[in-house]
Amino acid sequence: GNAEIQSNSDNVRADEIKGSLKLKGRASGVRVHRILGPLDIQTTLKDVTVSDAAGSCSITNEHGNVSVSAQSLDIGGVRIRNRNGAIELSLPEGSSFEMDAVARNGNIQSSYPDLGPSRKDGNSETLKSKIGTGGPRILLETEYDNIRISGTARGAGVRSVRNAKSRNFSNVRLNLGIR
């Protein structure tokens, strides 16, 4: 089923939801694994980690890092906006997509195969590229930090995009059982 959460100063963890997840938080850390439906997260002041994303993904954050790994790009679009925090995105190699990334007062680093070079323009660095036949649009924006884009081999399983500091994410926990 679908889940909708409002959170204030919590750490939220959601695992294996068959439907969509909508989370509106303030000062809330978020750790999400294997959400099959659309994902919409808005929070501030803490990190957001999404692993094994399988649906469209929209994340807005401030003063915390955002880390996302996708298991496939059959999902629809990805939109990540951050301020005063880094963005890390890991995509399956061999995928088709359109990338539009901008780091204001930051840098863009990519190890994803065939993703074109970024361009520096004043205090901003941008990367626009079409991979394969195009496909889902990926929009990444951050201010005052960096964007890092990497690839994972298909079928290799999900790996952690960032070695985050160990934190207790037990305040709110959802497991709606994907079978």
Side-chain angles (χ1 to χ4, degrees):
N2 299 330
E4 191 166 327
I5 300 169
Q6 291 204 4
S7 173
N8 189 7
S9 300
D10 293 316
N11 289 314
V12 177
R13 180 177 179 135
D15 296 301
E16 299 187 359
I17 295 176
K18 288 182 181 179
S20 65
L21 173 65
K22 183 172 186 174
L23 184 141
K24 185 167 185 168
R26 200 174 69 132
S28 294
V30 180
R31 190 169 286 234
V32 174
H33 174 71
R34 205 161 170 231
I35 306 301
L36 294 183
L39 180 62
D40 183 1
I41 297 173
Q42 298 174 29
T43 191
T44 59
L45 302 175
K46 293 190 180 177
D47 293 347
V48 174
T49 303
V50 176
S51 61
D52 233 355
S56 63
C57 184
S58 176
I59 299 171
T60 303
N61 194 20
E62 292 184 18
H63 302 285
N65 296 321
V66 176
S67 174
V68 175
S69 68
Q71 65 180 346
S72 74
L73 280 180
D74 307 330
I75 62 174
V78 174
R79 184 182 65 80
I80 302 172
R81 294 177 192 240
N82 203 4
R83 200 170 130 231
N84 295 308
I87 296 174
E88 295 191 23
L89 178 64
S90 179
L91 301 169
E93 292 179 6
S95 297
S96 292
F97 57 89
E98 292 183 34
M99 173 71 66
D100 190 354
V102 61
R104 292 177 191 86
N105 297 299
N107 298 305
I108 299 175
Q109 303 155 354
S110 174
S111 61
Y112 191 92
D114 300 322
L115 197 57
S118 59
R119 280 188 355 191
K120 196 79 165 157
D121 184 20
N123 291 334
S124 294
E125 192 163 339
T126 60
L127 188 151
K128 292 185 184 216
S129 191
K130 180 178 175 182
I131 300 296
T133 59
R137 183 179 169 129
I138 298 173
L139 172 64
L140 308 175
E141 289 183 50
T142 193
E143 292 183 60
Y144 304 107
D145 215 321
N146 301 319
I147 296 173
R148 186 164 61 201
I149 305 160
S150 62
T152 56
R154 288 188 182 266
V158 175
R159 63 176 179 81
S160 174
V161 177
R162 165 175 270 191
N163 293 328
K165 294 177 186 171
S166 176
R167 296 193 175 137
N168 180 2
F169 283 87
S170 60
N171 297 35
V172 178
R173 183 172 235 179
L174 294 175
N175 186 336
L176 301 179
I178 296 173
R179 298 281 181 242

